[in-house]
């Protein structure tokens, strides 16, 4: 054991890493990776960074973030709100600022200089927008300070940035002053949000009413604020950050020495009393240790060691890290873990506690191998709890620190896996897309700024040799956003003391040791709590295989089966023999290719087709990899097809005896004629295509010409059906679901996607009817042979349909002028099953009142279906069939449906 409390931080850091590097002679588990291989992987990291950064600059800048699926910038207020996630966006070119010091580390000095000029020229910080104090501090303030540190370093080197006059630091101070109003609370804990222009609690601020904040949100301020104070000489920032940290320390649970997840910023009461090392608390612990390293204040180390002892006593259950209750720390608070705790092995390396770091990291690696990425949350038996993965860097961070400490080439292979998975599953033409579901590989139109700020830093450092780096990273400390702050700040004079009018404020002064120590119990003053203990390598690693012996049981626990060796392909090999955009479900050759790739096709009850891959069923490892790529392409194609949500369309039967009163809710197509841009819609008689599937050239083309073709869903792509009926001369098409029993009453709106190719050649409208609505149309065609319909974006009134022509006599009944004997008109003798029919009476002269019956309104989240629930007692007792209802009763139903339809339209708007 070594005591290093007497060392200054820079010396301590050097000693710590010197001790850890001794492990390199003891931990090599096999042949180390060659310098050439590391160089290849390092260059791959740079290429991946270039792909992400250039796409942001080309498609998104000056927006805050890139939307990689749609190749455009995410501008707050112009895109649908994502809730709290959007609080990171402040219209200040977030990704560019967050990336500044990454450019320097990756030897892109010229790009860095150009980026700094862009920031100074384009970025404004006085925007009238409410932002997260936490996110703005670590990403924007940290990014500006990291950029300033790099600019000063380059200027001192004498080659670049000779024009630089601390402009980024001036911006950082401006931003710091805009964040300060959030700290105007009795506790010193900041409000979670602040308006960059109006502060908090003002009439124009639109914030300041919050009462709660997370522990990490209030406790992850000290590095950036203290650095700002020491760079500028203005103590106010460090004073406020210390005050917030001191209040959190005061509010810890004194028996367990743990903190909760959420705290009331006014009263200091814990709102959420669960405690862990993941989301909501994570960087609070990180900043206690790193504040000691950066600022040289023993107080932070003492507090960290007390917390760390409790973490290892209650939360750590190697290799798991499970939340507990702060008042009952032996009681688990949940049975799952979140991905943010992946930073903790890296923090344990800084602490010098290597063994549990190896164990937890190995568990995380096995979960990563099982799901390709760390799910946002996973259970204690390593199943997915929350399936998203927004390309978080914490696992790569811990991998780098473990390699730094051990020089074990195993961690280089872990890094290779991270690289391969990013390229195979997250890379898209316009950058890298977050994973919406790690189980399916589906994407989210999101590339957070931290991906560029952190992920590529740690991966580059993992594979880089010392002479690849433009500066000595040992002279800097990484913030939680991986921004680089110089350790030389520890020699900068500390902030003068604030007014000592409270215990909390007094405790923030390092030299008031008596006041501080009076806050601790006798047990906490035990000198062993303040030891900085680095591992004795001879005891921890008695033989070179010891780290492997720690990992193997964990690997078995996560996955009983041994992982298959990676298949190494020659350059240019591995393209799937079948592309997703070419796939046809009715093509036998395609189905055989799927089988060889281990992909099975399942027809679901709702008419959809599901693809499932079982890699072990592929004919070879190469075919299995082809199958994985095919599945990824198919999921990407599906994601692209679903990105545009279109409103419902209408199929209105206008021929005798319906005359426009029957309207069927239809799903739109994402190609072909846009009916919302057509004033008149498309009107024509319907006929059934032969073959009914429409998947081959029509045999009844002469009869289809000039008509609207009826088609059955299935066997081929919708676009292919449309091309076949176009060739036959049809003026429109209606696809009818082949899933018996489906209805717009119970199913969400269905919209037909293209086939992945250019569909500009499709120039006629195509609509989709569920089975029950489609059956109404087919029964009408069977009964009356000639059925005319109107395809439009919404139902039309009779005046526009009949264009001033005399209305058919049957319609006059709706005004009450027709004689009673007209009840036997053809409309009342129709044999259609109207219990499944959505109808609308659009005649404004219809009676304002209807027979008393239950009012029906469209239900939420069921799509645009019109709900009809006619009460049985309204039907004549002698009539068993809905087809024999009186016209008067039918008109009452239609009137009710009109009201429901109009309400539905309002809801859609």
């Amino acid at each position: 054991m070594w005591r290093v409390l007497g060392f200054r931080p820079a010396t301590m850091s050097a000693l710590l890493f010197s001790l850890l590097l001794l492990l390199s002679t003891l931990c090599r588990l096999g042949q180390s990776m060659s310098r050439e291989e590391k160089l290849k992987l390092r260059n791959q990291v740079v290429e991946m960074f270039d792909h992400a950064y250039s796409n942001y600059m080309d498609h998104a800048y000056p927006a805050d973030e890139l939307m990689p699926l749609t190749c455009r910038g995410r501008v707050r207020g112009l895109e649908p709100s994502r809730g709290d996630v959007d609080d990171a966006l402040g219209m200040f070119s977030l990704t560019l600022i967050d990336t500044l010091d990454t450019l320097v580390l990756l030897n892109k000095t010229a790009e860095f200089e150009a980026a700094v000029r862009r920031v100074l020229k384009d970025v404004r910080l006085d925007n009238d927008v409410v932002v997260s104090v936490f996110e703005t501090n670590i990403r924007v303030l940290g990014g500006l300070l990291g950029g300033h540190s790099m600019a000063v370093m380059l200027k001192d080197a004498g080659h670049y940035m000779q024009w630089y006059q601390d402009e980024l630091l001036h911006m950082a101070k401006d931003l710091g002053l805009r964040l300060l109003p959030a700290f105007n609370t009795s506790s010193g804990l900041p409000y979670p949000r602040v308006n960059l222009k109006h502060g908090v609690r003002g009439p124009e601020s639109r914030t300041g009413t919050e009462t709660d904040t997370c522990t990490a949100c209030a406790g992850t301020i000290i590095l950036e604020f203290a650095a700002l104070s020491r760079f500028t000489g203005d103590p106010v920032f460090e004073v406020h950050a210390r005050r917030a940290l001191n209040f959190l320390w005061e509010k810890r649970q004194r028996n367990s020495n743990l903190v909760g997840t959420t705290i009331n910023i006014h009263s200091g009461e814990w709102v959420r009393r669960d405690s862990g090392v993941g989301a909501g608390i994570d960087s609070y612990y990180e900043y206690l240790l790193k504040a000691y390293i950066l600022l040289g204040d023993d107080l932070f180390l003492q507090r960290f060691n007390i917390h760390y002892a409790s973490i290892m006593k209650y939360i750590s259950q190697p290799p798991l890290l499970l939340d507990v209750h702060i008042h009952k720390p032996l009681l688990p608070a949940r049975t799952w873990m979140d991905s943010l705790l992946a930073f903790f092995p890296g923090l344990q390396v800084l602490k010098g506690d290597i063994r549990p770091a190896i164990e937890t990291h190995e568990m995380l690696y096995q979960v990563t191998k099982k799901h390709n990425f760390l799910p946002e949350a996973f259970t204690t038996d390593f199943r997915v709890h929350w399936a998203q993965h927004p390309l978080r860097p914490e696992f790569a961070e811990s991998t780098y620190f473990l390699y730094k400490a051990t020089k074990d080439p195993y961690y280089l292979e872990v890094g290779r896996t991270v690289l391969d998975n990013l390229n195979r599953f997250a890379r898209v033409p316009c950058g890298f897309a977050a994973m919406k579901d790690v189980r399916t590989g589906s994407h989210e139109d999101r590339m957070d700024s931290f991906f560029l700020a952190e992920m590529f830093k740690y991966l580059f450092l993992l594979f880089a040799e010392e002479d690849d780096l433009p500066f000595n990273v040992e002279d800097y400390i990484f913030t939680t956003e991986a921004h680089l702050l110089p350790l030389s700040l520890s020699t900068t004079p500390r902030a003068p003391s604030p007014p000592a009018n409270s215990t909390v404020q007094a405790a923030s002064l390092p030299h008031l040791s008596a006041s501080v120590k009076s806050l601790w119990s006798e047990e906490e003053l035990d000198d062993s709590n303040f030891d900085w203990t680095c591992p004795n390598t001879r005891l921890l690693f008695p033989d070179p295989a010891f780290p492997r012996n720690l990992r193997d049981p964990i690997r078995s626990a996560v996955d009983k089966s041994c992982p298959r060796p990676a298949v190494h392909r020659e350059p240019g090999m591995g393209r799937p023999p079948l592309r997703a955009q070419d796939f046809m479900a009715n093509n036998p050759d395609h189905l055989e290719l799927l089988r060889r790739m281990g992909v099975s096709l399942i027809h679901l009850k709702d008419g959809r087709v599901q693809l499932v891959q079982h890699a072990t069923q592929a004919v070879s490892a190469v075919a299995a990899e082809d199958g994985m790529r095919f599945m990824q392409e198919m999921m990407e194609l599906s994601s692209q097809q679903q990105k545009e949500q279109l409103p419902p369309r209408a199929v209105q039967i206008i021929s005798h005896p319906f005359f426009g009163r029957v309207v069927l809710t239809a799903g739109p197509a994402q190609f072909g004629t846009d009916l919302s841009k057509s004033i008149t819609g498309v009107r024509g008689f319907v006929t059934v295509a032969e073959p009914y599937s429409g998947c081959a050239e029509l045999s009844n083309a002469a009869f289809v010409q000039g008509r609207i073709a009826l088609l059955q869903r299935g066997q081929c792509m919708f676009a292919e059906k449309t091309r076949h009926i176009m060739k036959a001369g049809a003026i429109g098409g209606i696809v009818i679901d082949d899933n018996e029993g489906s209805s717009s009453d119970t199913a969400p709106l269905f919209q037909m996607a293209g086939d992945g190719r250019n569909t500009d050649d499709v120039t006629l409208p195509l609509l989709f009817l569920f089975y029950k609505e489609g059956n109404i149309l087919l029964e009408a065609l069977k009964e009356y042979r000639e059925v005319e319909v109107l395809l439009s974006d919404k139902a039309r009134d009779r005046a526009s349909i009949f264009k001033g022509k005399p209305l058919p006599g049957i319609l006059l009944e709706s005004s009450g002028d027709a004689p009673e004997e007209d009840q036997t008109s053809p409309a009342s003798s129709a044999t259609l099953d109207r219990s499944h029919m959505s109808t609308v009476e659009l005649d404004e002269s219809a009676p304002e009142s209807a027979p008393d019956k239950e009012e029906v309104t469209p239900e939420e989240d069921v799509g645009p279906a019109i709900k009809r629930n006619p009460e049985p007692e309204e039907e004549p007792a002698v009539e068993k069939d809905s087809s024999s209802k009186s016209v008067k009763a039918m008109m009452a139903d239609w009137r009710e449906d009109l009201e429901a339809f109009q309400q539905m339209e309002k809801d859609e708007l």
Side-chain angles (χ1 to χ4, degrees):
M1 299 241 225
W2 296 271
R3 285 180 55 89
V4 296
L5 283 178
F7 291 95
R8 293 271 41 98
T11 309
M12 179 280 301
S13 181
L15 173 63
L16 172 62
F17 279 109
S18 296
L19 291 169
L20 295 177
L21 291 178
L22 291 175
L23 302 177
S24 63
T25 60
L26 301 169
C27 300
R28 298 180 184 275
L29 302 182
Q31 184 176 2
S32 61
M33 184 179 287
S34 68
R35 187 181 179 95
E36 292 73 20
E37 187 66 15
K38 287 181 66 178
L39 175 62
K40 179 181 176 182
L41 292 172
R42 187 206 70 184
N43 291 339
Q44 187 177 2
V45 173
V46 175
E47 185 279 328
M48 293 166 65
F49 170 83
D50 288 341
H51 178 66
Y53 179 71
S54 62
N55 273 288
Y56 166 74
M57 296 304 295
D58 292 344
H59 299 294
Y61 182 82
D64 284 315
E65 290 180 347
L66 170 68
M67 299 173 68
L69 298 183
T70 51
C71 301
R72 68 180 191 269
R74 183 180 296 281
V75 179
R76 192 169 176 182
L78 298 184
E79 301 294 335
S81 173
R82 301 175 299 171
D84 292 348
V85 176
D86 283 340
D87 287 344
L89 311 181
M91 296 186 288
F92 35 37
S93 301
L94 172 64
T95 298
L96 182 59
I97 292 177
D98 220 0
T99 308
L100 288 176
D101 50 6
T102 307
L103 289 166
V104 179
L105 183 66
L106 271 59
N107 295 291
K108 296 184 176 295
T109 315
E111 290 92 332
F112 169 74
E113 189 160 1
V116 172
R117 291 185 184 275
R118 280 182 179 268
V119 170
L120 299 179
K121 175 177 174 288
D122 299 337
V123 174
R124 295 178 59 91
L125 298 174
D126 59 348
N127 303 311
D128 183 9
V129 60
V130 176
V131 296
S132 162
V133 173
F134 167 76
E135 297 290 355
T136 305
N137 174 66
I138 66 171
R139 299 202 208 187
V140 187
L141 182 56
L144 292 171
L145 292 172
H148 169 69
S149 300
M150 295 295 97
V152 170
M153 181 269 296
L154 291 171
K155 183 178 181 180
D156 291 345
H159 298 295
Y160 291 91
M161 304 297 294
Q162 297 305 300
W163 53 270
Y164 183 69
Q165 298 293 327
D166 295 344
E167 288 88 348
L168 291 177
L169 180 59
H170 298 325
M171 288 186 67
K173 184 173 182 179
D174 179 24
L175 180 60
L177 292 172
R178 294 179 185 280
L179 295 179
L180 276 184
F183 292 80
N184 188 23
T185 62
S186 57
S187 66
L189 299 180
Y191 284 96
R193 298 174 185 84
V194 66
N195 187 302
L196 290 177
K197 187 172 185 178
H198 301 292
V200 296
R201 303 192 67 177
E204 298 175 307
S205 69
R206 305 187 303 282
T207 188
T209 59
E210 304 93 337
T211 58
D212 306 333
T213 193
C214 71
T215 301
C217 299
T220 311
I221 306 289
I222 185 65
L223 292 189
E224 293 82 3
F225 268 40
L228 183 57
S229 282
R230 299 192 181 203
F231 273 133
T232 63
D234 187 344
V236 65
F237 306 105
E238 184 172 347
V239 166
H240 280 289
R242 284 176 176 268
R243 185 179 178 215
L245 270 182
N246 290 330
F247 190 84
L248 289 174
W249 172 254
E250 278 290 287
K251 292 301 177 180
R252 76 195 185 284
Q253 211 289 322
R254 297 305 181 96
N255 292 322
S256 66
N257 281 314
L258 296 173
V259 292
T261 302
T262 307
I263 191 170
N264 185 294
I265 61 175
H266 304 297
S267 68
E269 294 295 321
W270 290 110
V271 179
R272 281 184 52 192
R273 294 176 171 83
D274 48 315
S275 183
V277 296
I281 302 179
D282 49 0
S283 48
Y284 163 68
Y285 295 132
E286 177 187 2
Y287 268 37
L288 282 177
L289 179 55
K290 289 183 175 180
Y292 168 71
I293 298 172
L294 180 66
L295 306 177
D297 188 341
D298 294 352
L299 182 70
F300 296 124
L301 177 61
Q302 294 163 356
R303 292 178 178 179
F304 173 80
N305 276 327
I306 291 172
H307 280 315
Y308 186 78
S310 293
I311 290 169
M312 299 309 292
K313 181 177 181 179
Y314 300 119
I315 295 172
S316 177
Q317 301 178 35
L320 308 180
L321 292 163
L322 293 176
D323 283 18
V324 298
H325 295 279
I326 58 175
H327 296 287
K328 297 180 179 179
L330 297 178
L331 198 64
R334 62 190 189 193
T335 58
W336 49 270
M337 296 165 279
D338 65 74
S339 64
L340 285 172
L341 61 76
F343 90 100
F344 198 68
L347 189 65
Q348 289 178 306
V349 170
L350 287 181
K351 169 72 172 73
D353 201 357
I354 306 296
R355 176 173 182 149
I358 291 174
E359 293 174 328
T360 298
H361 179 274
E362 182 62 21
M363 177 270 292
L364 296 169
Y365 181 42
Q366 295 305 317
V367 174
T368 297
K369 290 172 69 174
K370 193 178 185 71
H371 302 293
N372 298 321
F373 299 97
L374 271 182
E376 275 292 77
F378 52 94
T379 61
T380 52
D381 55 355
F382 314 112
R383 292 178 298 173
V384 172
H385 185 70
W386 295 334
Q388 304 91 336
H389 175 77
L391 306 182
R392 293 199 185 278
E394 285 78 13
F395 178 70
E397 174 185 358
S398 288
T399 302
Y400 161 66
F401 279 111
L402 272 168
Y403 178 69
K404 181 78 174 177
T406 66
K407 292 298 180 184
D408 187 342
Y410 178 83
Y411 295 109
L412 297 176
E413 295 301 328
V414 174
R416 188 204 300 268
T417 300
V418 173
L419 278 185
D420 289 346
N421 287 348
L422 285 172
N423 274 322
R424 289 174 60 191
F425 302 111
R427 187 166 183 148
V428 294
C430 286
F432 291 84
M435 307 306 295
K436 187 174 183 180
D437 192 320
V438 298
R439 297 165 297 191
T440 65
S442 59
H443 284 148
E444 188 175 354
D445 201 2
R446 169 183 181 183
M447 189 179 83
D448 288 85
S449 67
F450 54 66
F451 183 62
L452 287 164
E454 301 183 67
M455 181 70 82
F456 294 112
K457 275 198 188 84
Y458 292 124
L459 290 176
F460 181 82
L461 287 168
L462 178 64
F463 298 115
E465 301 291 348
E466 189 173 331
D467 54 7
D468 295 329
L469 304 177
F471 56 89
N472 184 3
V473 294
E474 303 297 342
D475 293 335
Y476 296 83
I477 193 165
F478 290 106
T479 69
T480 195
E481 190 77 3
H483 292 306
L484 293 155
L485 298 178
L487 289 174
S488 59
L489 289 174
S490 64
T491 62
T492 305
R494 283 181 274 192
S497 76
N501 57 1
S502 71
T503 305
V504 172
Q505 290 174 325
S508 70
L509 300 178
H511 62 274
L512 295 179
S513 55
S515 300
V516 172
K517 290 184 179 180
S518 67
L519 300 176
W520 295 324
S521 67
E522 195 64 29
E523 178 183 350
E524 292 165 346
L525 284 173
D526 182 350
D527 201 37
S528 64
N529 285 322
F530 306 145
D531 284 349
W532 183 288
T533 56
C534 294
N536 184 322
T537 57
R538 294 180 181 275
L539 296 176
L540 182 57
F541 298 102
D543 65 78
F546 190 73
R548 182 181 59 200
N549 294 337
L550 293 178
R551 291 192 289 257
D552 285 347
I554 298 167
R555 182 180 299 116
S556 299
V558 176
D559 191 348
K560 298 297 183 184
S561 61
C562 295
R564 280 195 305 156
V567 179
H568 297 285
R569 295 167 168 266
E570 296 298 322
M573 297 290 289
R575 289 184 63 83
L578 177 62
R579 301 300 303 272
Q581 64 185 40
D582 299 327
F583 172 66
M584 305 297 295
N586 63 334
N587 187 317
D589 293 335
H590 289 184
L591 296 178
E592 173 60 19
L593 286 172
L594 292 188
R595 186 193 67 78
R596 294 180 61 80
M597 294 188 295
V599 179
S600 55
L601 185 144
I602 303 171
H603 291 276
L604 303 177
K605 290 182 179 181
D606 62 1
R608 293 178 297 144
V609 172
Q610 184 180 53
L611 297 173
V612 180
Q613 191 204 22
H614 301 280
T616 55
Q617 297 179 8
V619 297
S620 68
V622 173
E625 185 171 336
D626 289 338
M628 291 171 61
R629 296 192 182 188
F630 171 81
M631 294 291 287
Q632 176 62 22
E633 284 189 3
M634 185 61 75
M635 288 181 285
E636 184 60 37
L637 178 62
S638 175
S639 174
Q640 291 288 342
Q641 290 170 345
Q642 294 299 323
K643 67 185 179 183
E644 183 181 1
Q645 295 297 320
L646 300 173
R649 305 295 188 227
V651 175
Q652 193 167 4
I653 307 179
I654 60 176
S655 57
H656 172 81
F658 308 98
F659 303 115
R661 292 173 302 193
V662 175
V663 179
L664 308 173
T665 302
Q670 294 176 349
F671 56 88
T673 300
D674 185 354
L675 291 172
S676 67
K677 298 179 181 178
S678 172
I679 299 176
T680 59
V682 174
R683 177 175 178 170
F685 289 92
V686 298
T687 189
V688 177
E690 295 179 6
Y692 189 22
S693 67
C695 293
E697 202 166 306
L698 269 57
S699 59
N700 63 338
F703 194 62
V704 169
Q705 184 174 10
R707 290 175 173 253
I708 296 172
L710 301 182
L711 307 153
Q712 187 178 46
R713 180 184 183 182
Q715 301 185 36
C716 65
M717 305 292 277
F718 293 118
E720 183 180 353
K721 297 176 188 287
T722 313
R723 291 187 178 101
H724 283 140
I725 64 172
M726 276 184 62
K727 186 175 181 181
I731 61 173
I734 299 173
V735 176
I736 298 175
D737 195 6
D738 59 347
N739 178 30
E740 187 171 353
S742 68
S743 169
S744 63
D745 285 342
T746 56
L749 176 69
F750 182 86
Q751 49 186 352
M752 296 173 286
D755 54 4
R757 306 173 186 172
N758 191 315
T759 53
D760 290 345
D761 59 312
V762 179
T763 57
L764 54 76
L766 188 73
L767 297 183
F768 177 87
L769 292 178
F770 284 106
Y771 180 86
K772 290 184 177 180
E773 286 81 5
N775 196 51
I776 291 171
L777 196 55
L778 292 174
E779 287 293 331
L781 187 61
K782 179 180 178 181
E783 179 73 17
Y784 300 106
R785 297 193 178 183
E786 289 293 325
V787 174
E788 189 178 15
V789 300
L790 175 65
L791 311 183
S792 59
D793 60 332
K794 59 182 179 180
R796 310 290 172 142
D797 58 39
R798 292 198 309 278
S800 62
I801 294 175
F802 296 104
K803 297 181 180 179
K805 296 179 182 179
L807 297 181
I810 186 64
L811 296 181
L812 297 178
E813 179 133 6
S814 64
S815 64
D817 296 335
E820 286 294 322
E821 53 267 22
D822 282 349
Q823 292 180 8
T824 58
S825 63
S828 64
S829 61
T831 59
L832 301 181
D833 180 6
R834 287 184 174 82
S835 64
H836 299 144
M837 178 165 52
S838 300
T839 61
V840 178
E841 170 53 50
L842 295 169
D843 186 4
E844 294 301 322
S845 64
E848 293 298 325
S849 59
D852 293 337
K853 65 186 297 182
E854 182 183 354
E855 184 179 355
V856 181
T857 354
E859 297 175 0
E860 294 182 2
D861 300 324
V862 234
I866 300 171
K867 311 293 288 184
R868 292 187 72 250
N869 297 298
E871 299 293 337
E873 59 268 19
E874 289 184 4
E875 299 182 9
V878 294
E879 298 293 342
K880 302 289 185 180
D881 197 312
S882 64
S883 62
S884 58
K885 291 173 68 174
S886 69
V887 174
K888 187 174 182 180
M890 291 172 61
M891 294 305 298
D893 288 347
W894 288 329
R895 186 66 183 176
E896 179 186 278
D897 284 336
L898 170 61
E899 295 171 359
F901 191 82
Q902 289 171 336
Q903 182 62 44
M904 179 270 289
E905 285 187 316
K906 292 179 182 178
D907 292 343
E908 286 294 323
L909 291 174

